């Protein structure tokens, strides 16, 4: 009986390892982000009018997040960028995510940070149809990251906050390092890169990547 139990344990262990291994080599979908803005309700009221509600254009891959019909103009010390998309829903604090090239046009020096890490970041002026507001902080270049559930993280052998490397296949493919894991039970499995990172390796909305650690 003891030998039988040991054999069963080994078989179960092999099955679990096989599942984890298959999950680990499975391709992870890619989400490509252009510059965009997340607004607080206070700033939304200032820019669009008191009590204004965002208009959903389409749902995004992450649960409860959506692209809006509304856009804004970003205005920095050296220039402006028009028609920057707002993403909903509203947040506690306004956050502006731009590209590296946008820094030169706007005249700001944005750090590469994870979403929500806004301390010490530069500010910018937002211009809407009903008003404008100057942010004292909130401009970042989003650090590349992978959203996943806690179960995904367990299967892939990673933890929330960890940094991993990813492999991109193809003639212009390669490896990106310092990709942050963002694991929670309200996430959907997807690797987020900005348009500059995606273009550098010829990635599209149907591309996939693999974690190689």
């Amino acid at each position: 009986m003891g030998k039988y139990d040991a054999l069963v344990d080994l078989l179960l262990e092999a099955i679990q390892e096989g599942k984890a291994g298959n999950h680990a080599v499975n391709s992870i979908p890619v989400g490509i982000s252009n510059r965009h803005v997340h607004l607080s309700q206070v700033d939304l009221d200032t820019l669009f009018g008191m009590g204004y509600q965002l208009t959903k254009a389409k749902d995004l891959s992450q649960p409860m997040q959506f692209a809006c019909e509304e856009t804004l103009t970003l205005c920095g010390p050296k220039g402006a960028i028009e028609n920057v998309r707002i993403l909903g829903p509203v947040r506690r604090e306004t956050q502006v995510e731009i590209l590296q090239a946008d820094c030169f046009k706007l005249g700001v020096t944005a750090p590469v940070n994870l979403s929500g890490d806004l301390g010490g970041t530069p500010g910018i002026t937002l211009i809407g149809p009903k008003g404008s507001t100057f942010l004292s902080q909130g401009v970042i270049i989003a650090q590349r990251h992978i959203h996943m559930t806690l179960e995904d993280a367990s299967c892939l052998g990673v933890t929330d906050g960890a940094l991993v490397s990813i492999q991109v296949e193809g003639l212009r493919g390669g490896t990106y390092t310092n990709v942050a894991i963002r694991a929670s039970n309200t996430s959907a499995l997807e690797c987020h890169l900005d348009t500059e990172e995606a273009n550098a390796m010829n990635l599209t909305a149907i591309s996939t990547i693999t974690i190689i650690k």
Side-chain angles (χ1 to χ4, degrees), residues 9 13 18 22 32 35 47 54 57 63 69 74 90 98 104 123 128 131 138 171 178 180 190 196 200 208:
D9 288 341
E13 183 178 347
N22 287 337
I32 302 171
R35 65 184 71 88
L47 297 167
L54 293 169
E69 297 283 357
L74 309 182
V90 294
I98 62 174
F104 304 107
L171 291 177
N178 298 316
E190 188 174 57
E196 291 175 328
T208 59

Side-chain angles (χ1 to χ4, degrees), residues 142-166:
Q143 181 177 347
R144 47 186 174 254
H145 55 279
I146 305 175
H147 289 287
M148 62 180 65
T149 64
L150 297 176
E151 182 180 0
D152 289 330
S154 177
C155 289
L156 291 163
V158 296
T159 56
D160 182 52
L163 295 179
V164 300
S165 296
I166 61 173

